Amino acid sequence: MTPTHRQEKREPEIVIIGAGIAGITMAYTLQGAGYSRFRVLEKGSDVGGVWYWNRYPGLTCDVPSQLYQFGFSPKADWSSIWAPGPEIQRYHRDVVDKFGLDEHIQLNTTVVSADFDDASALWTVVTDTGETILADFVICATGVLHNPAYPNIPGLAEFKGKVVHTARWDESLDVDGARIAVIGTGSTGVQVVSALQQPARSLTHFVRSPQWVLWAPMHLRQPKLVSRILERSPGLHAWIYAMSLKASAVLPDVILNDTWRRRAVQKYARLCLRRQVQDRQLRESLTPDYEPLCKRQVVSGTYYRALRSANTELVTTDIARVTEEGIQTVDGREFPLDIIVLATGFRAHDYMRPMRITGREGRQLDEIWADGPRAYRMTAIPGLPNLFTVLGPNSPTGSISLQYSAEVTSRYILSWLDKFRVGEISTTEVTEEATEEFNREVNSAAKTTVWNSGCNSWYFTESGNIDLWPFTRSKLTEMLTQPNESHFRVTRRQEEREAAGGINLASQRKG
């Protein structure tokens, strides 16, 4: 960059959408770099993202606590080796309080639209309260698992009992002595079945496609002595986190390569089923028709035990309809019920939607993503200048620490913001060619992963592509260390924009 390209330093106005893992990480990164004109808009009444919205019984993280934390704010005193959901949500709140990020966060605010103006190179962000915010940059930290997927089952609306989705749990719901049906499997279905089996009068688990379930002692407590040692030895704690992160590199290897490690995990999955379910008929019903690890791996120490209980029944017959009194399957069986629990997951490929996003020359996000969500290295989308995503399309939700990925991505985005602040650029937009090249590489690499070994999972987009990161952690770091300006369409600072100055988002009235 020649000196003639540099102009007076100017602080960018930034809107971050979402206050989960990605949004908190981005806010922390900006604050640490001396940025102050940013606001985080969060639709929930507290921070935590998926850990705020999900409150169903039995909610537990399937990643060990000492790995599932921010690298910049480790937590020594986890209650369990695998932390329960409420504790993780409180941890996110504690991190926000610890670093004073609350002054930038606006809760109970849903973004309705974000529109880019070509002339001014500004984004106009509109909320559900009618508030309008102008910004130089929009950073979407909306996550993957936030829009619940509701099944299209005939008669569901006519059921006289209670219907509840696990992602919108009704905490006033009385499950004691109730006749409960759980529809759906995966981690959520497995956890909620395990939690509801004992208080329920009867529990029926409707499973269209069974999952491989790895046994682990999910309720194992973290010894208090360990917590005290880690609190008093932050250097040791940092070392343990670094070693945990390093050890987790084995997971991408298992996913990406057909090695002895993958075969060992798959053998263990089959062994878990064989050893815990002695009844041959039940075991056959619980045996998937695809390889272990093909779907998001489920981990539980109690699920098979719950299914063996006298008050629990596994049903693999298709549901015909929901009646006023319960569920009827295609073979004519009737299941009288008080509560139907939908453990049917999320619309995982919505990302920023349903908000309306309009980019350069009036291009709509739905038009750009007509063939499914796609981005350049998880972070940038052609047609949307000065908009970035943290944990966007192709994020490693099944192989690499999300906190690590968010931290690396946030620093990458910061590099672009720094260029704006010192006057090197006015706008930056990834090219269609660079995006296509990256996506071709992703699709080629994904073909040989275990995710593509013959199952139908939520990893697949409607166009048939696998929406995950099919590379190693080191490649993620390499790709997001420094921006490659040749992959972007960059414009320089406009004199009229410089004269107009900015709008201080931090000083605007909240709510």
Side-chain angles (χ1 to χ4, degrees), residues 193-342:
V193 164
S194 300
L196 295 181
Q197 176 267 315
Q198 287 190 354
R201 172 183 167 187
S202 66
L203 191 147
T204 309
H205 193 192
F206 291 88
V207 174
R208 182 171 57 185
S209 177
Q211 295 268 20
W212 292 105
V213 180
L214 297 182
W215 181 89
M218 300 294 287
H219 297 292
L220 191 64
R221 306 288 292 179
Q222 177 174 296
K224 292 184 179 179
L225 177 60
V226 170
S227 298
R228 287 196 295 269
I229 291 174
L230 295 181
E231 284 176 338
R232 296 171 183 174
S233 306
L236 173 64
H237 195 186
W239 180 83
I240 290 175
Y241 174 76
M243 289 301 100
S244 299
L245 197 60
K246 185 176 181 179
S248 69
V250 71
L251 184 55
D253 178 60
V254 167
I255 296 297
L256 302 178
N257 304 306
D258 186 11
T259 64
W260 67 269
R261 292 185 180 89
R262 179 192 294 181
R263 292 189 290 273
V265 174
Q266 293 177 329
K267 184 176 181 180
Y268 179 63
R270 296 185 175 95
L271 177 64
C272 289
L273 176 58
R274 187 167 63 250
R275 293 294 297 272
Q276 293 181 80
V277 182
Q278 301 299 317
D279 182 273
R280 179 173 296 180
Q281 184 175 353
L282 179 60
R283 188 167 66 244
E284 288 178 355
S285 297
L286 286 168
T287 302
D289 59 0
Y290 55 85
E291 290 186 29
L293 301 173
C294 185
K295 296 185 179 184
R296 167 83 185 198
Q297 187 56 57
V298 179
V299 183
S300 175
T302 54
Y303 175 63
Y304 288 142
R305 184 175 65 203
L307 287 182
R308 297 196 311 264
S309 302
N311 68 334
T312 305
E313 181 178 359
L314 177 75
V315 177
T316 57
T317 307
D318 288 346
I319 295 173
R321 64 184 58 84
V322 176
T323 67
E324 291 184 350
E325 304 299 329
I327 288 177
Q328 183 182 95
T329 52
V330 293
D331 58 2
R333 285 190 67 189
E334 299 272 358
F335 297 85
L337 299 167
D338 303 306
I339 300 171
I340 297 176
V341 177
L342 304 177

Side-chain angles (χ1 to χ4, degrees), residues 249-467:
V250 71
L251 184 55
D253 178 60
V254 167
I255 296 297
L256 302 178
N257 304 306
D258 186 11
T259 64
W260 67 269
R261 292 185 180 89
R262 179 192 294 181
R263 292 189 290 273
V265 174
Q266 293 177 329
K267 184 176 181 180
Y268 179 63
R270 296 185 175 95
L271 177 64
C272 289
L273 176 58
R274 187 167 63 250
R275 293 294 297 272
Q276 293 181 80
V277 182
Q278 301 299 317
D279 182 273
R280 179 173 296 180
Q281 184 175 353
L282 179 60
R283 188 167 66 244
E284 288 178 355
S285 297
L286 286 168
T287 302
D289 59 0
Y290 55 85
E291 290 186 29
L293 301 173
C294 185
K295 296 185 179 184
R296 167 83 185 198
Q297 187 56 57
V298 179
V299 183
S300 175
T302 54
Y303 175 63
Y304 288 142
R305 184 175 65 203
L307 287 182
R308 297 196 311 264
S309 302
N311 68 334
T312 305
E313 181 178 359
L314 177 75
V315 177
T316 57
T317 307
D318 288 346
I319 295 173
R321 64 184 58 84
V322 176
T323 67
E324 291 184 350
E325 304 299 329
I327 288 177
Q328 183 182 95
T329 52
V330 293
D331 58 2
R333 285 190 67 189
E334 299 272 358
F335 297 85
L337 299 167
D338 303 306
I339 300 171
I340 297 176
V341 177
L342 304 177
T344 47
F346 301 85
R347 302 195 306 271
H349 310 296
D350 280 4
Y351 294 102
M352 299 86 82
R353 295 173 287 190
M355 77 177 74
R356 189 192 77 245
I357 296 181
T358 306
R360 177 174 50 82
E361 298 176 350
R363 295 187 67 192
Q364 299 278 333
L365 178 65
D366 285 343
E367 172 193 344
I368 297 169
W369 280 0
D371 296 323
R374 63 195 183 98
Y376 166 85
R377 301 184 181 183
M378 307 182 295
T379 64
I381 302 168
L384 304 180
N386 288 10
L387 182 144
F388 293 97
T389 59
V390 185
L391 301 183
N394 297 115
S395 291
T397 55
S399 56
I400 300 171
S401 163
L402 291 181
Q403 289 83 354
Y404 177 84
S405 302
E407 290 167 31
V408 171
T409 303
S410 294
R411 291 192 292 268
Y412 173 85
I413 295 171
L414 181 66
S415 298
W416 282 113
L417 298 176
D418 287 343
K419 290 176 181 292
F420 180 95
R421 180 154 68 167
V422 299
E424 290 184 6
I425 68 168
S426 176
T427 66
T428 178
E429 175 194 342
V430 69
T431 66
E432 184 69 38
E433 293 75 18
T435 306
E436 279 299 310
E437 180 183 354
F438 171 73
N439 279 268
R440 281 195 298 270
E441 189 177 357
V442 165
N443 294 335
S444 176
K447 289 179 181 178
T448 59
T449 66
V450 72
W451 300 317
N452 196 43
S453 60
C455 66
N456 180 27
S457 73
W458 59 265
Y459 293 157
F460 284 87
T461 66
E462 292 181 359
S463 59
N465 295 321
I466 296 175
D467 185 9

